Amino acid sequence: MDVRSLLVLGAQYGDEGKGKIVDLLVERARVGTVVRFNGGANAGHTIVLEDGRFALHQVPSGILHPEVMNLIGAGVALDPLRLVEELRDLRRRGVECTNLRVSDRAHLVMPWHHVLDGHLGGRLGTTARGIGPCYEDRAARCGLRVGDLVDARGRVDLKHFAARVREVGTAKNLMLTRQYGLDPLDLDEILTACTEAAQVFAPQVADISELLEERNRAGHRVLYEGAQGALLDVDWGTYPYVTSSSCSLGGCAVGVGLNPAPEMRMGVLKAYATRVGEGPFPGELGDPERVKQHDARPAGSPLPQMTSAQREAALAGDQEAMGRWLRLAGAEFGTTTGRPRRTGWLDMVAVRHAVQVSGLNALALTKLDVLDGIPTLKMAVAYEIHGERTTRMPSRVRDLGVARPVYEELPGWSCLGGATRFEDLPPQAQVFVQRVAELAGAPVRVLSVGGRRSQSLMLPEDLCGAPTSPP
Ligand code: GDP
C-alpha cells in the first residue's frame, strides 16, 4: 500500500476493530508515525499477536512496533493516572514505550471529571471515564492541560500545577457539594497522585505539531488514528447519544495541529452493526433491556456457546436469537465491563454517512468470519421514516428512533476457511464485500477474517468497489 499518509477511523458506532487494522497497516504500509487524535481512556483498541492480546486505551495502536513513533495528540483527553497504569502494563509485557510522545496541549482528565461523569453520564450510557466533563471544561476554558503539569523542558512543574489544581479544584468541590450533594475531593491527594504519575511520562511530553512536521519532512509515513466511530461524533453522530469529541476527518485536523490532508482516508466497519450505551439503533436485533438482563456476563469469563435450539430460533426469524448469535460469534462484550453490545445487521445508511462526512476513500471490512453459517444475510440500504424512504441519516434522534430499515437480502456462506486471496473466498462472501463497497461508494482495501494480524487480506483498489449510486 503505497500512500504517504493515512487516516483510520471508525465508520460505525465504535468497536469496529480499528486497533487491529492500524497495527496491520503500520506494517503493510510502512508507517513511521502513528498519531491518535481524539477520545481518551474510554476507547479500547485490541491487538492480538501470537504472544497474546494487548488492550490499548490511550496509547496509539502502533506502539507494538518499536521503530514507529507514537504520538498522543492535543485532541485526546489524557488521563495521567490511567496512562501510567497502561504504560506499566505494557512495560511488564516487554513493550518499553520509549517510542511514545504526549502533546503538551492535551487536556487532562482529572478525578473530578470521573466523579461528575459517574454522577451525570448514566443518561447517555457513557463509560464514566471522565471524558465528557473533561471536554466540557476545555470548551469552557477552565481545563488543565498536560502543559500545566509538565514544563517545556520535560520537568514536572509542581508550583504552577499546584496553583491550578487549587484554583480549579476548589470550584469543582463547590460544584460537587452544593450542586450535587456529593463529597468534596481531597486536592492534596490529587496533586500528589498527578505529579507522581507525571514523573513517569514527563520526558515524553512534546509539541506534537512540531514533531509531526519534522517527521513529515523527513519522509516518514503518518497514520492518523481515530477513536470511537463516525456515528458517535459530537456533531455528525446521533446527538445527544454521542461522545464529546469529533471522531471524523475534522477532528483529526483539530487534534494533531497540522493540516493532515491524509491521502488515504479509511473507514473501518464490521460486517454487521453493534452499539454500546443508549441511543437509537435502527434495525437492532432484540430488545436492549432484555439483552442487558439476559446476556450480561462477568468481564473476562468464557463465552457461552449458542445452543442448537437458539440457532434454530434465530434461523426461524427470532430477532433476539439472531442478535445473540452475532453477539456470541463476534464476542461483542465490553472488554473491561463485560457489558453485552447491542447488535444489528449491517447498516449501509450509517456507513454512507460516515463516508460522506470524512470523505472516506477506502474501507476496511472486519469480522466477516462472524457471519459464517448464517444462510441469509441482511444489509440496510435505506430507512423508512414516517412512511418516507430515505438513504440519508436524519439529524434528529426522534426520527432515527422510528426509522425502519429497508433490507436487501444476500446469500450467506458456510465457512470462509483460511482464504488469503479475495478470489479464494466463497463467491457469496465476494458478493457481500462488493455490495458493501458499491453502497458505501468507496473500495474495500482491507478485509479482516479473524482477530490475528495474519487473518487479513489486502485488496487492490480495482478489485472491490466501483462506486455506484445508492438505491
Ligand atoms: P476497536 O476499538 O475499534 O479497536 O475495536 P475493539 O478492540 O473493541 O474490537 C475488536 C475486537 O475484535 C478485538 O478483540 C479484535 O481482536 C477482534 N477482531 C478484529 N478483527 C476481527 C475479525 O476480522 N474477526 C474476528 N472474529 N475478530 C476480530
Side-chain angles (χ1 to χ4, degrees):
M1 205 169 262
D2 193 23
V3 284
R4 278 197 50 77
S5 54
L6 306 95
L7 167 75
V8 177
L9 51 77
Q12 293 165 312
Y13 295 92
D15 305 312
E16 298 94 346
K18 297 177 290 294
K20 171 188 165 169
I21 300 299
V22 171
D23 175 68
L24 181 77
L25 290 174
V26 163
E27 193 179 78
R28 304 285 171 92
R30 298 185 306 284
V31 165
T33 315
V34 177
V35 200
R36 171 81 184 271
F37 65 80
N38 76 313
N42 52 349
H45 297 174
T46 314
I47 300 172
V48 184
L49 299 186
E50 306 311 321
D51 51 348
R53 173 178 285 267
F54 291 80
L56 304 173
H57 299 287
Q58 304 188 80
V59 171
S61 303
I63 200 71
L64 304 183
H65 301 263
E67 72 289 359
V68 172
M69 183 59 81
N70 285 263
L71 312 177
I72 296 182
V76 171
L78 188 96
D79 188 325
L81 308 185
R82 283 182 178 267
L83 177 66
V84 168
E85 276 172 27
E86 197 173 336
L87 293 177
R88 209 168 281 144
D89 281 352
L90 284 164
R91 284 179 180 147
R92 228 188 342 249
R93 299 181 64 187
V95 183
E96 285 309 318
C97 302
T98 47
N99 53 338
L100 177 75
R101 299 290 179 274
V102 179
S103 170
D104 52 0
R105 286 183 168 85
H107 275 255
L108 291 171
V109 178
M110 299 295 292
W112 47 79
H113 295 138
H114 285 266
V115 177
L116 287 168
D117 206 7
H119 190 63
L120 303 170
R123 185 172 58 89
L124 298 173
T126 76
T127 50
R129 298 266 159 83
I131 311 298
C134 173
Y135 281 122
E136 272 179 43
D137 283 358
R138 167 193 182 220
R141 294 162 294 174
C142 64
L144 299 177
R145 306 202 296 180
V146 171
D148 286 314
L149 182 54
V150 178
D151 69 17
R153 278 177 286 179
R155 289 183 310 209
V156 176
D157 192 345
L158 183 58
K159 195 164 163 226
H160 171 73
F161 188 65
R164 292 286 284 133
V165 166
R166 300 235 173 281
E167 179 198 338
V168 179
T170 304
K172 294 293 175 189
N173 270 344
L174 280 178
M175 182 195 264
L176 293 178
T177 51
R178 297 213 182 143
Q179 201 171 335
Y180 299 117
L182 300 170
D183 291 335
L185 294 169
D186 182 333
L187 300 184
D188 288 328
E189 238 173 57
I190 292 176
L191 189 59
T192 309
C194 289
T195 47
E196 274 178 17
Q199 299 291 354
V200 177
F201 62 82
Q204 287 164 282
V205 171
D207 180 335
I208 291 306
S209 174
E210 192 182 322
L211 196 56
L212 201 51
E213 197 191 359
E214 277 169 21
R215 292 187 66 82
N216 266 344
R217 245 184 296 155
H220 292 281
R221 293 197 161 110
V222 183
L223 188 153
Y224 303 94
E225 177 183 25
Q228 286 91 35
L231 277 301
L232 297 178
D233 183 282
V234 64
D235 294 299
W236 299 98
T238 57
Y239 190 88
Y241 300 98
V242 290
T243 194
S244 303
S245 66
S246 170
C247 319
S248 308
L249 174 64
C252 177
V254 171
V256 302
L258 189 77
N259 174 8
E263 193 181 332
M264 178 179 278
R265 299 173 294 281
M266 179 177 279
V268 184
L269 68 145
K270 284 192 270 217
Y272 51 95
T274 62
R275 175 165 199 157
V276 286
E278 308 300 316
F281 186 29
E284 176 163 17
L285 291 165
D287 172 63
E289 287 310 314
R290 281 177 55 84
V291 167
K292 256 189 233 164
Q293 271 176 22
H294 295 290
D295 283 14
R297 47 188 279 281
S301 61
L303 279 181
Q305 296 287 314
M306 280 286 279
T307 63
S308 50
Q310 285 172 332
R311 272 176 188 266
E312 272 168 35
L315 297 177
D318 180 331
Q319 303 250 320
E320 191 173 313
M322 184 50 81
R324 182 167 299 121
W325 184 326
L326 295 175
R327 187 172 305 111
L328 292 178
E332 299 296 351
F333 295 86
T335 10
T336 42
T337 56
R339 240 186 343 172
R341 294 182 184 142
R342 301 158 68 189
T343 50
W345 295 113
L346 180 56
D347 180 351
M348 290 308 298
V349 179
V351 172
R352 263 193 81 82
H353 178 72
V355 168
Q356 187 194 329
V357 168
S358 292
L360 302 178
N361 56 9
L363 299 173
L365 182 61
T366 64
K367 293 198 158 184
L368 196 63
D369 54 300
V370 172
L371 302 184
D372 277 6
I374 303 178
T376 304
L377 303 170
K378 293 188 187 180
M379 219 182 256
V381 295
Y383 296 151
E384 240 179 53
I385 301 177
H386 305 302
E388 284 192 25
R389 189 176 163 133
T390 177
T391 53
R392 300 198 65 85
M393 196 73 187
S395 69
R396 307 190 317 166
V397 284
R398 282 190 284 171
D399 295 334
L400 195 61
V402 296
R404 285 157 39 99
V406 177
Y407 288 117
E408 188 170 291
E409 292 195 350
L410 290 102
W413 52 87
S414 57
C415 178
L416 287 181
T420 52
R421 295 182 321 156
F422 185 70
E423 305 79 63
D424 298 336
L425 290 171
Q428 300 92 330
Q430 295 185 26
V431 169
F432 185 92
V433 178
Q434 302 267 16
R435 193 66 185 127
V436 168
E438 278 169 10
L439 289 166
V444 176
R445 300 297 308 275
V446 181
L447 205 53
S448 172
V449 294
R452 294 175 186 275
R453 261 187 205 163
S454 56
Q455 293 171 302
S456 319
L457 286 72
M458 309 296 282
L459 312 186
E461 192 166 9
D462 55 349
L463 188 61
C464 203
T468 59
S469 40

